[in-house]
Amino acid sequence: MSRLVVVSNRVALMEEGKQAAGGLAVAILAALKKTGGIWFGWSGTVVDGESQAEPTKTEAGKLTYATLDLGRRDHEEYYNGFANQTLWPLFHYRLGLISVNRRTREGYSRVNAYFADKMEPLLRPDDMVWVHDYHLIPFGDELRRRGCSQRMGFFLHTPFPPPELLTALPNHRDLIRELCAYDLVGFHTATDLRGFCDYIRTETDGTVEQRGAYGTAMIRAFGRTLMAKVFPISIDTPALESLARTAGRSRQAERLRESLVGRRLIIGVDRLDYSKGLPQRFAAFEQLLESYPEHCNRVSFLQVAPPSREDVPEYIAIRRELSEMAGRINGRFAEFDWQPIRYLNRSFGQRVLAGFYRLANVGLVTPLRDGMNLVAKEYVACQDADNPGVLVLSQFAGAAHEMGEALIVNPFDIEGVGDALQRALTMPLGERKERHAALMQTLRRQDINWWRESYVDALTRAPYDFPVT
């Protein structure tokens, strides 16, 4: 069996015997422990001066962690710059927020080349290389330039924009050429796959052949042959079901339950980011209280939003906006014994969140654009099947492609989301159970292990050589 080599911007370095926190980390670790291999990437440490000369290696059974510290300039140009001020807003359809800068693009290319230089000596001829996310699009091309012929796959965890948006990037053709260096390119949804295929058709002299009903395309472009395919990422469904059964009785969950004093609970959990639609979500909750005043003093909205990228101006602005909105809405509707919005800029562990999800009558997941949004799946998996809550889900989250039994909403339609919250809060038990059972059927069939095995199996069959008609 070939070794698997995973490359990601950050490496989830785990001590032996400890549990990985994130679903992606769990999936990757399971694959690596099965085949043996390497998890390679940035350590998360920024140092003064130059980036680390050689990777730090940590052995854990058949698995080797290989990590690199980044110099301050490399981190600023590659990570804060091109990755997060250019590609992130572009891939989330926010052209007005992109920063186009030759210096950061050069830094992005330089760091990917640096990673490839440090990775290449660690590879064996029959290794399979699995690269993750928008930070590392050029990585495969850099390995090819160094003569590496191993099977290489890439998975994009964000949305992929249509060509009409992607061409706003001055070097868009280079970016897609670099993406075509891989044998397999995975996307969350058919919409993302279609955007990629449309670009190949309209902006290159490449050819595309659609295959299968669930989203597979065979592509020839830039002298390469590759497969592009839909692999919707998921969660560890059985583990979350089990965790929620006990977490609902945890000390933190009991404290939350007691603080509600019999009131209903709506919950949102998101990293603080402009793609998550949090101002629109606050406005929709305000609309609920305004249009359906019977919920005043009878329902509370808990929004957990840990800050991220705190030195980026757009993130400073949205944090200020949300604090002001929460204060205004609370000032308008609050009673001496009731605060409508509980807005928390902090993170909680998976067990605590599972208990909160279990208590919540409504899960409110309304991003303006999202690759998948695993919070939607986590909320559903944590419900009590005998008395489940209702998921209100944005049509622009990748999860909406699989979770049609949720209440699907347009997050820009504030009144519509307010109406959906009213429907969720008043939905009969029978309908709630029926919707929840259908959603759980999907989550049990297509869990994180299914996602991992589907992708690795497709990569195992690479390289692809086929006629394109």
Side-chain angles (χ1 to χ4, degrees), residues 94-307:
R94 299 297 295 271
L95 286 186
L97 295 178
I98 70 170
S99 171
V100 177
N101 185 306
R102 289 180 182 175
R103 177 181 59 86
T104 60
R105 168 59 185 179
E106 289 166 2
Y108 178 74
S109 299
R110 182 182 66 249
V111 170
N112 271 273
Y114 157 72
F115 282 152
D117 280 337
K118 304 308 176 186
M119 176 81 263
E120 188 268 336
L122 305 179
L123 291 176
R124 298 174 185 171
D126 65 340
D127 282 342
M128 294 191 302
V129 181
W130 188 5
V131 181
H132 289 266
D133 225 0
Y134 62 100
H135 313 83
L136 298 168
I137 289 173
F139 183 81
D141 184 59
E142 292 293 344
L143 285 180
R144 298 288 187 215
R145 289 170 182 267
R146 288 155 179 77
C148 297
S149 58
Q150 287 88 347
R151 289 165 290 179
M152 296 185 200
F154 178 85
F155 188 83
L156 183 66
H157 291 267
T158 68
F160 190 88
E164 293 83 1
L165 296 182
L166 188 58
T167 50
L169 186 68
N171 62 313
H172 57 87
R173 187 176 174 87
D174 290 339
L175 197 73
I176 301 305
R177 176 186 54 78
E178 291 163 346
L179 200 52
C180 289
Y182 296 97
D183 300 298
L184 175 65
V185 176
F187 299 97
H188 281 308
T189 72
T191 300
D192 303 322
L193 174 62
R194 184 171 64 245
F196 179 60
C197 292
D198 285 350
Y199 183 96
I200 298 296
R201 290 189 183 100
T202 61
E203 300 294 329
T204 78
D205 57 1
T207 54
V208 178
E209 180 184 334
Q210 299 289 156
R211 294 192 179 182
Y214 194 61
T216 303
M218 301 300 192
I219 293 170
R220 286 191 191 275
F222 301 102
R224 294 279 306 164
T225 299
L226 63 146
M227 174 188 284
K229 187 174 173 62
V230 173
F231 300 93
I233 197 170
S234 195
I235 59 174
D236 190 346
T237 307
L240 266 174
E241 288 183 87
S242 176
L243 180 64
R245 281 192 286 271
T246 58
R249 300 188 297 271
S250 69
R251 180 174 56 85
Q252 294 90 341
E254 286 298 334
R255 283 176 57 197
L256 177 57
R257 181 185 290 109
E258 289 170 5
S259 73
L260 291 169
V261 197
R263 297 183 182 94
R264 318 290 293 286
L265 177 65
I266 299 170
I267 192 169
V269 177
D270 306 82
R271 185 171 56 82
L272 189 61
D273 188 277
Y274 51 75
S275 68
K276 302 300 183 181
L278 297 179
Q280 292 84 353
R281 191 179 305 176
F282 281 25
F285 180 68
E286 180 179 25
Q287 184 69 42
L288 170 74
L289 299 180
E290 185 177 288
S291 299
Y292 304 95
E294 63 269 24
H295 293 301
C296 289
N297 211 352
R298 293 185 179 178
V299 63
S300 293
F301 173 32
L302 171 62
Q303 176 63 56
V304 177

Side-chain angles (χ1 to χ4, degrees), residues 5 156 212 262 272 288 303 318 320 325 342 410 416 422 469:
V5 176
L156 183 66
L272 189 61
L288 170 74
Q303 176 63 56
I318 193 170
R320 183 184 304 116
M325 287 187 74
R342 305 181 184 191
N410 178 349
Q422 161 69 1
T469 57

Side-chain angles (χ1 to χ4, degrees), residues 40 52-57 65-69 114 118-119 122:
F40 177 94
Q52 188 174 344
E54 295 299 330
T56 299
K57 298 178 188 176
Y65 296 98
T67 60
L68 291 159
D69 298 342
Y114 157 72
K118 304 308 176 186
M119 176 81 263
L122 305 179

Side-chain angles (χ1 to χ4, degrees), residues 186-465:
F187 299 97
H188 281 308
T189 72
T191 300
D192 303 322
L193 174 62
R194 184 171 64 245
F196 179 60
C197 292
D198 285 350
Y199 183 96
I200 298 296
R201 290 189 183 100
T202 61
E203 300 294 329
T204 78
D205 57 1
T207 54
V208 178
E209 180 184 334
Q210 299 289 156
R211 294 192 179 182
Y214 194 61
T216 303
M218 301 300 192
I219 293 170
R220 286 191 191 275
F222 301 102
R224 294 279 306 164
T225 299
L226 63 146
M227 174 188 284
K229 187 174 173 62
V230 173
F231 300 93
I233 197 170
S234 195
I235 59 174
D236 190 346
T237 307
L240 266 174
E241 288 183 87
S242 176
L243 180 64
R245 281 192 286 271
T246 58
R249 300 188 297 271
S250 69
R251 180 174 56 85
Q252 294 90 341
E254 286 298 334
R255 283 176 57 197
L256 177 57
R257 181 185 290 109
E258 289 170 5
S259 73
L260 291 169
V261 197
R263 297 183 182 94
R264 318 290 293 286
L265 177 65
I266 299 170
I267 192 169
V269 177
D270 306 82
R271 185 171 56 82
L272 189 61
D273 188 277
Y274 51 75
S275 68
K276 302 300 183 181
L278 297 179
Q280 292 84 353
R281 191 179 305 176
F282 281 25
F285 180 68
E286 180 179 25
Q287 184 69 42
L288 170 74
L289 299 180
E290 185 177 288
S291 299
Y292 304 95
E294 63 269 24
H295 293 301
C296 289
N297 211 352
R298 293 185 179 178
V299 63
S300 293
F301 173 32
L302 171 62
Q303 176 63 56
V304 177
S308 66
R309 304 170 192 160
E310 296 180 75
D311 52 347
V312 177
E314 291 83 3
Y315 292 83
I316 296 170
I318 193 170
R319 184 172 185 175
R320 183 184 304 116
E321 179 184 7
L322 290 170
S323 295
E324 291 172 354
M325 287 187 74
R328 181 182 59 77
I329 294 168
N330 283 339
R332 178 183 176 190
F333 291 100
E335 300 287 350
F336 66 86
D337 61 347
W338 172 61
Q339 179 174 303
I341 296 179
R342 305 181 184 191
Y343 172 46
L344 306 181
N345 284 136
R346 54 165 297 189
S347 59
F348 294 91
Q350 189 179 51
R351 178 177 173 80
V352 173
L353 285 177
F356 291 176
Y357 291 145
R358 186 84 166 187
L359 282 178
N361 305 93
V362 180
L364 188 53
V365 182
T366 52
L368 305 182
R369 185 69 59 174
D370 222 339
M372 177 54 67
N373 198 300
L374 294 179
V375 169
K377 297 185 175 186
E378 291 168 354
Y379 173 77
V380 170
C382 289
Q383 295 307 294
D384 178 355
D386 293 325
N387 186 25
V390 179
L391 175 64
V392 177
L393 178 62
S394 167
Q395 68 188 72
F396 302 118
H401 288 249
E402 301 172 89
M403 305 182 79
E405 295 83 7
L407 296 184
I408 306 298
V409 297
N410 178 349
F412 296 98
D413 179 5
I414 304 303
E415 293 172 318
V417 178
D419 290 343
L421 289 172
Q422 161 69 1
R423 184 179 174 192
L425 289 166
T426 58
M427 186 178 290
L429 177 60
E431 183 180 354
R432 286 191 279 124
K433 291 172 71 172
E434 185 178 339
R435 288 174 179 270
H436 178 259
L439 289 167
M440 285 303 299
Q441 189 174 12
T442 299
L443 294 183
R444 290 184 181 121
R445 183 178 66 249
Q446 295 178 189
D447 66 0
I448 190 69
N449 296 311
W450 169 87
W451 174 78
R452 179 194 72 236
E453 293 297 334
S454 297
Y455 191 97
V456 172
D457 180 63
L459 184 56
T460 300
R461 297 198 300 272
Y464 300 97
D465 188 17

